[in-house]
Amino acid sequence: MEAKAQARYVRVTPQKARRVVNEIRGLNAANAVDVLEFAPQAVARDVRKVVQSAIANARFAADQAGERFDEASLKVLEAFVDEGPTMKRIQPRAQGRANRIMKRTSHITVIVGTKEA
């Protein structure tokens, strides 16, 4: 059984988020939560919430299907970060010029499931 969770429009650059997501890909779901709990990156908190949401979604899907749920058998099957919309801002500079500031966003997706799935 597979379950998916997604966080959209997270205000962090996709490059920074991918560094954290690459660390948990393929791990046991419970171990991934532990790794993210102590990761020093700020985005690790958001990724941890997505993994926990995917675990909860798997639990709910198993209850709906009447299947037995074993959290220990869940693995992070897929985890990826897509680029969201970029907010463009202007910063005034000398002599009437302007610099553009790009405030990037990310869409974080995590799919958990059992090995058989």
Side-chain angles (χ1 to χ4, degrees):
M1 169 168 290
E2 288 186 0
K4 172 178 154 181
Q6 196 173 35
R8 301 188 70 205
Y9 308 107
V10 178
R11 264 292 289 125
V12 67
T13 65
Q15 185 176 5
K16 290 177 183 177
R18 284 185 189 114
R19 285 182 54 210
V20 174
V21 168
N22 289 340
E23 293 295 319
I24 64 159
R25 192 175 293 122
L27 287 181
N28 185 322
N31 291 347
V33 172
D34 291 339
V35 166
L36 293 168
E37 180 76 34
F38 299 104
Q41 294 85 1
V43 72
R45 185 180 64 197
D46 296 322
V47 176
R48 181 170 49 90
K49 287 170 96 173
V50 175
V51 172
Q52 288 173 332
S53 179
I55 293 169
N57 291 345
R59 179 178 292 119
F60 181 77
D63 289 345
Q64 291 293 321
E67 297 177 5
R68 184 173 131 332
F69 178 73
D70 182 21
E71 188 173 329
S73 67
L74 285 181
K75 266 184 90 169
V76 178
L77 299 178
E78 289 184 54
F80 54 91
V81 178
D82 294 324
E83 188 170 342
T86 300
M87 297 185 289
K88 294 164 181 83
R89 300 293 182 258
I90 301 297
Q91 180 178 19
R93 302 300 290 182
Q95 298 180 359
R97 294 184 177 93
N99 274 2
R100 177 169 273 183
I101 297 175
M102 312 291 258
K103 294 181 177 267
R104 301 186 186 278
T105 61
S106 303
H107 300 321
I108 302 169
T109 305
V110 175
I111 300 174
V112 297
T114 57
K115 293 181 181 180
E116 306 89 55

